[in-house]
Structure formats: structure tokens, C-alpha cells
């Protein structure tokens, strides 16, 4: 197995579409407080949403500055709970195992997996800025020999076939074609390896993508897939689901709290809540084994 050198590694840049270049430009320029302020709490930067029950007492805090601090901390706690939930579905891992974080963002998920399982992690992002940031965080933690981030395309990583015991996408599948993505995961995973995805998807039983789903697509420059396509694309790429969990109800409280965080709102919060409540949008966890 080829071990990457510490620091950001860059493969020969694979062919990227104009759309992928736009996505890279978006994340290279992104400085959203809802990502950065939460991460500053413990230097775990998550680029996803939260799950679980909210401590609503944070809104009763009379001191304005303290209220902002408590709300930020509660949102971060819920996002970290989501990362731990995903890591808990990666299967039995050892410090000798390698895992692959596809669309790693600023790197929080890879750190969570390493701290939980002791495994080696390779994160991939299409944003050079994110890869540099995440590698700096790993160096500060003293785990840069075990956790590394790479500026590469998750559809064409150049990593060794069969080298990974587990892999995942955490809210990043809506930026790519699922068949291309799952083919790369199937190539990288050893037989019996575990793939996990947490994603927002539109509900086929509702019909076509709703107005709210279209607004979310426009906000994040993404293309949300229908729920059914995840299972069809997995079946075509030797990934067999072993656990499916609907997290929609579990994430609604996070969005309710975030909609009241005046210092962090992005303007998309009510759209998410409407989509979840009218049934057109779902938040799913799927764990699948590579056969």
C-alpha cells in the first residue's frame, strides 16, 4: 500500500467539468460563520447538519453575548452527534485500517473517525483551501501521520484499489453523479468493506422535486438526488445496504434552533424546515457492504 506524505497531496488534476470548477470556486471562497464559528469551539470543523434533541434552555439565556455563545455551542454539539452517528456505522475498525472520507470539507469527520477507531484516514476535497486548512488542523492535533487530506476529485482519487476498510460521504453526494461516485467507492473498498452515506434526498413518493428542494439546490449549487436513485446506483456498483435510517425527524430540531440563531442564519433555514415537514425532502443514513 502506498502511504501518502504528510500535508496536502495533489494528484494530477483529473478532468473536471465546468460545474465542478464552480463548486471548487464556491468552497474556496466560502467563509460561512455557521461553519467557522462552530468549529472554533474545539477545532472540529463539520460541514453538515445536526441530529438529536435540543437543549432549548439556551434560548432563555438573558445575556445576549452568552446566549449567542450557548446557541453556537448547542448547534455544534448536534453536528458532532451526527458525525459520531456516522462513525459508529463504519463497522469494526482497527488502528491498522484505512478509511476514506469523500468530500471531507474542513476535515472534522476524518478526525472523529480516527479518534473513535484509531484508524488512518484520507480525506478528499475538490477545494485546495479546505485541504490546506484541514491538514493544518491535523498538524496542530499531532495526528498528521494518521489523518491526511488531499486536493483531489472524489470521483477519481488515484488511491490504491481495495486499500480501504470503510468509506463515507457526509452530505456531499449531491455534487456528483451517483454511479460515478459509487463506482469509485466500490473500487477503493476491500471486499466486505463498509460504505456509509448521510444525505438529504427528495422523496420519490411526493413526486417530482418540490419548490423547496429546487431552492436548496440553487442555494448550494448542487443537485439533490431522489431517494430511489441511491439504492439503484448502489445495486449497480456492488454496494448492498445493511442499514437504512430516516433521520428527518431527528434533524428538524437542529434546524428549528438554527433558524433562531440570528448570528448564524444563512436564509435557507425555513426552506429546509418546510421541505422536511411537507414530506418532499428526507434526511437519510444508508450503510452498505461492498460485495
Amino acid at each position: 500500500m502506498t502511504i501518502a506524505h504528510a500535508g496536502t497531496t495533489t494528484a494530477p488534476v483529473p478532468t473536471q467539468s465546468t460545474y465542478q470548477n464552480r463548486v471548487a470556486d464556491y468552497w474556496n471562497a466560502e467563509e460561512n460563520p455557521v461553519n467557522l464559528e462552530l468549529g472554533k469551539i474545539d477545532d472540529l470543523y463539520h460541514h453538515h447538519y445536526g441530529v438529536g434533541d435540543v437543549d432549548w434552555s439556551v434560548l432563555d439565556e438573558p445575556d445576549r453575548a452568552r446566549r449567542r455563545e450557548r446557541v453556537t455551542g448547542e448547534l455544534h454539539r448536534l453536528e458532532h452527534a451526527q458525525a459520531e452517528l456516522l462513525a459508529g456505522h463504519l463497522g469494526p475498525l482497527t488502528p491498522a485500517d484505512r478509511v476514506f472520507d469523500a468530500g471531507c470539507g474542513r476535515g472534522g469527520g476524518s478526525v472523529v473517525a480516527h479518534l473513535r477507531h484509531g484508524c488512518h484516514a484520507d480525506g478528499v476535497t475538490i477545494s485546495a483551501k479546505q485541504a490546506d486548512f484541514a491538514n493544518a488542523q491535523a498538524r496542530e492535533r499531532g495526528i498528521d501521520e494518521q489523518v491526511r487530506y488531499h486536493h483531489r476529485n472524489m470521483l477519481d482519487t488515484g488511491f490504491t484499489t481495495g486499500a480501504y476498510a470503510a468509506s463515507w460521504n457526509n452530505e456531499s453526494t449531491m455534487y456528483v453523479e451517483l454511479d460515478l461516485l459509487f463506482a469509485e467507492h466500490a473500487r477503493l473498498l476491500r471486499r466486505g468493506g463498509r460504505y456509509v452515506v448521510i444525505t438529504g434526498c427528495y422523496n420519490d413518493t411526493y413526486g417530482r422535486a418540490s419548490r423547496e428542494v429546487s431552492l436548496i439546490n440553487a442555494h448550494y449549487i448542487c443537485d439533490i438526488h431522489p431517494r430511489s436513485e441511491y439504492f439503484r446506483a448502489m445495486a449497480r456498483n456492488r454496494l448492498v445496504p445493511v442499514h437504512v435510517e430516516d433521520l428527518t425527524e431527528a434533524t428538524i430540531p437542529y434546524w428549528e434552533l438554527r433558524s433562531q440563531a440570528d448570528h448564524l442564519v444563512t436564509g435557507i433555514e425555513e426552506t429546509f424546515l418546510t421541505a422536511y415537514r411537507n414530506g418532499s425532502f428526507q434526511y437519510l443514513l444508508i450503510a452498505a457492504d461492498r460485495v
Side-chain angles (χ1 to χ4, degrees):
M1 181 187 304
T2 301
I3 305 297
H5 296 292
T8 304
T9 66
T10 305
V13 178
T15 301
Q16 294 179 177
S17 65
T18 300
Y19 167 73
Q20 287 176 313
N21 288 330
R22 285 190 63 203
V23 172
D25 290 343
Y26 173 89
W27 288 111
N28 282 329
E30 184 267 341
E31 294 286 343
N32 197 321
V34 79
N35 291 323
L36 294 173
E37 293 304 312
L38 274 61
K40 289 176 183 176
I41 292 173
D42 57 6
D43 290 330
L44 278 173
Y45 290 81
H46 299 301
H47 281 276
H48 53 72
Y49 312 130
V51 294
D53 295 330
V54 169
D55 176 6
W56 293 107
S57 71
V58 299
L59 296 178
D60 299 328
E61 174 63 51
D63 181 79
R64 180 178 176 85
R66 176 63 179 153
R67 182 182 186 273
R68 287 168 59 118
E69 181 181 316
R70 290 187 63 192
V71 169
T72 302
E74 182 65 358
L75 288 170
H76 184 63
R77 183 185 69 81
L78 296 169
E79 291 190 3
H80 187 74
Q82 191 263 36
E84 289 283 3
L85 176 67
L86 189 155
H89 284 279
L90 294 175
L93 297 171
T94 72
D97 288 323
R98 301 193 74 84
V99 297
F100 169 50
D101 181 358
C104 63
R106 287 185 172 91
S110 292
V111 176
V112 169
H114 167 71
L115 295 178
R116 185 183 184 106
H117 300 287
C119 54
H120 293 253
D122 286 301
V124 162
T125 171
I126 203 169
S127 164
K129 182 178 178 180
Q130 286 184 341
D132 288 339
F133 181 95
N135 276 313
Q137 292 299 115
R139 286 193 295 272
E140 288 183 16
R141 286 180 174 271
I143 60 172
D144 50 308
E145 289 298 315
Q146 295 82 30
V147 180
R148 299 186 176 96
Y149 301 95
H150 313 263
H151 175 216
R152 302 190 187 190
N153 189 328
M154 64 181 168
L155 302 181
D156 183 17
T157 63
F159 294 155
T160 304
T161 298
Y164 293 89
S167 64
W168 69 90
N169 285 92
N170 198 346
E171 295 181 22
S172 54
T173 52
M174 62 286 297
Y175 289 103
V176 294
E177 295 177 48
L178 293 182
D179 268 310
L180 297 177
L181 175 67
F182 292 160
E184 182 67 349
H185 280 286
R187 184 186 72 80
L188 294 174
L189 286 170
R190 67 192 185 199
R191 183 180 293 274
R194 174 66 54 83
Y195 171 69
V196 181
V197 57
I198 294 182
T199 188
C201 55
Y202 77 78
N203 183 358
D204 304 66
T205 63
Y206 181 91
R208 303 285 293 178
S210 67
R211 174 179 179 273
E212 290 78 24
V213 170
S214 297
L215 289 172
I216 295 169
N217 280 336
H219 184 87
Y220 290 110
I221 321 177
C222 65
D223 186 13
I224 293 166
H225 303 289
R227 179 180 62 188
S228 61
E229 183 56 24
Y230 281 88
F231 299 97
R232 287 196 293 262
M234 284 183 179
R236 290 191 293 262
N237 289 283
R238 305 184 68 175
L239 296 171
V240 179
V242 295
H243 179 79
V244 180
E245 189 171 350
D246 186 346
L247 300 174
T248 306
E249 290 299 320
T251 197
I252 286 176
Y254 165 87
W255 285 98
E256 291 174 332
L257 179 61
R258 183 166 143 178
S259 70
Q260 299 184 65
D262 296 340
H263 59 302
L264 297 174
V265 293
T266 63
I268 200 64
E269 287 77 13
E270 289 301 326
T271 302
F272 269 85
L273 285 168
T274 300
Y276 285 138
R277 289 168 177 159
N278 69 22
S280 66
F281 192 51
Q282 292 179 302
Y283 196 50
L284 287 189
L285 180 151
I286 307 170
D289 286 345
R290 194 277 197 192
V291 299

